Amino acid sequence: MAAYDFHSREAAHTAKSRQGMVTTPHRAASEAGAKVLKRGGTAIEAVIAAGAALTVLYPHFCGLGGDAIWIVADTEGRRQAIMGIGQAAESLPKLDAIPTRGPLSALTTAALVDSWGEALNYSCIHWQGRESFSSLLGDAIEFASGGFPVSQSQAHWHAFREGEIEAWPGVASFFVKRGIQRQPQLAGVLKEITLHGHRAFYEGDLAQRMAAGLEAAGSPIRKRDLERTHARMAEPLSLIYRDVELLAPPPPSQGVTTLSIMGILSNFAMQDVSPNSPDFYHLCAEAIKQAFLERGGIADPDHVVQDCAAWLAKDFLAAKAEKIDRNVALPWPQPFRHGDTVFLAATDAKGRSASVLQSTYYDWGSGVLLEDTGILWQNRGAAFSADPASINAIAPGKRPFYTLNPGIALREGKPAILYGTQGADGQPQTLTLLLSRLIDHGFSPFEALSAPRFLLGRTFSDSRDNLKIEQSAGVEVLHTLGSYGHGVVAIPELSALAGQAGIISIGRDGVIEGAHDPRSDGCAVGV
C-alpha cells in the first residue's frame, strides 16, 4: 500500500454508520448532506443539499451552469437514471472546429437544476420525501453569501490555468486564488430557486437575464433553449459481475463502457490475481482497451441507434476477453477527452441510495461567466464534432457524448456499493480498478481509493498515448508492465491525474462505510 500515513488519512476521509452516509469531495458539502439525513430526509434530498453546496464550494468543477447524471435505487427494487444533460442550441453558428473555451464552446444548455427538480419529485412520489428547495439550499446560500475558505483544489486549478484564466472576462477576479471566496450573485440565484422553484432557472426573469448574458458573451443559447431544457428519466443499463448487479446510465453516457470492461473481466479469475501485481494492472488495462473500441459508437440515442444489449452480451464480451494477451499490451485505441466533475453519493436509513456526478466539463467550464448571476457556463459543446459525418456531429437540440457515469452495485436487489469518479476518459478506468478491488478482493472503500491507479491515453499535461501509473505501484510492477509493451510513465503517488472518486459500501450486516478520495478535499460523513 502507499507510503503515506494511511491511518491518519483514513480517519480524515472515511466514516461508518448504520443510519446513513454522504460522500463528496468537500467536507462542508458532505456535512450539508448529512444534516438532511439526520432530520429524516431521503438520500436524494441529501444529495441535492450537498450538490448545491458543491456548486458554491467547488466552482471550478461544477456549477448551476452545468449538468448532472444520477443513478438512484432502493430496497424495494426501484432503479432509475436521471439524465440531466443540456441540449445544443436551436440556432447554431457554422463552425469548422469547435473551440474548447469561450462563448462558442458554450453551445449547450445546463440541466443540473432541472435534474434536482426531477430527483426531488421522484423522492416525494416514491420515497415519501418532504423536503423543499427552501430547506435544502440553505447551506449553499450561506456559503455563497457569507463566504468560505478556498479549497486546495480550487487554488490548484486557479494556479494551473494562470496565463489562460485571465483571458476569460471576470473569471480570474471573481474566483479568488486563496483566502475567502464570496459569491453574493450566486446566492441570489439560489434564493430565487427556493422562492419560485427549479423551473425559474429556465423560465421567467432569471432565465431571461441568463439568456441575455449568454447572448452578450457570444453564445448561441437563447431563452427558448433554456425553456426546452429538461432532465430525462431513463432505465439504467445493468450487468452481473460476480455476486452483484452493476447499474450504469445509458447513452449518451459512457456507462455502457464501464459495464463492458467489467463484463470482459468477468471472464478472468480476478480474485486469484493479486491486486498489487503487474498482471492485475495489465488485465484491467487490456479490458479497458477492448471496451473502448466500441466507445466511439456512443451518441445521443435520439439521433443514433445503439445496441447496448449487443455490446453487453456475454458471448461478445467473452470474445473480447479471448483477444487479451496476458503478456502483450494492445496499443491505446482512443483519442483524449478532457473533463472534470464532482462525484457525490448518499444512502439513508432505509437503504435508499443516490449516486451522482455534477459537471461543467473542463475545469472552469467554458470560461464564460455571467457576472450578474455568478454562473459559470459549461463547455460541454466541445464534446461535439464539427465533422458532419461523425455520429457526434453537432446538431440543434442534440445531446453530446457524455463521460459522466456514476454507478450503484446491487446485491440481492438492494444497493450495496455506490461509486463514481471525476476524470472524463479516466472514469471507466478508475472504476475498473475500484470495482475489482472492492468486489474481487474485499478492499474497504478507503483501501480501494488509496491504492495505486493508472490513466491510459493523453492528458492535458502529456500528449502521449501511454500508461501513466502512480509510482506507489512499485518499481517491479512498472518494469514488468513496460516489458509487456505498455508505454509506462510513473506519476506521483495520489496524483491529481488519477481522478477524485468516492465510495459508499453497505454491508450485509447493515454497517455503512464511506470514503472520499485522499486525492481530494472531501470525506464521507455518517449519521
Side-chain angles (χ1 to χ4, degrees), residues 25-26 57-60 148-157 176-179 181 521:
H26 196 290
L57 299 166
Y58 250 47
H60 53 299
F148 60 91
V150 168
S151 67
Q152 291 183 11
S153 182
Q154 180 177 332
H156 168 82
W157 287 101
V176 301
K177 292 181 181 179
R178 62 186 68 85
Q181 173 79 63
D521 302 289

Side-chain angles (χ1 to χ4, degrees), residues 48 64 82 110-122 132-134 137 189-204 206-207 210 226-227 229-231:
I48 291 172
L64 301 187
I82 304 173
L112 168 64
V113 174
D114 199 64
S115 83
W116 289 350
E118 288 290 339
L120 192 61
N121 185 56
Y122 184 94
S132 66
F133 283 116
S134 179
L137 303 191
V189 172
L190 291 166
K191 287 177 183 176
E192 193 148 348
I193 293 170
T194 68
L195 291 172
H196 303 293
H198 67 283
R199 289 305 300 177
F201 192 84
Y202 303 95
E203 303 160 359
L206 172 58
M210 291 192 300
L226 298 178
E227 291 170 348
T229 301
H230 292 278

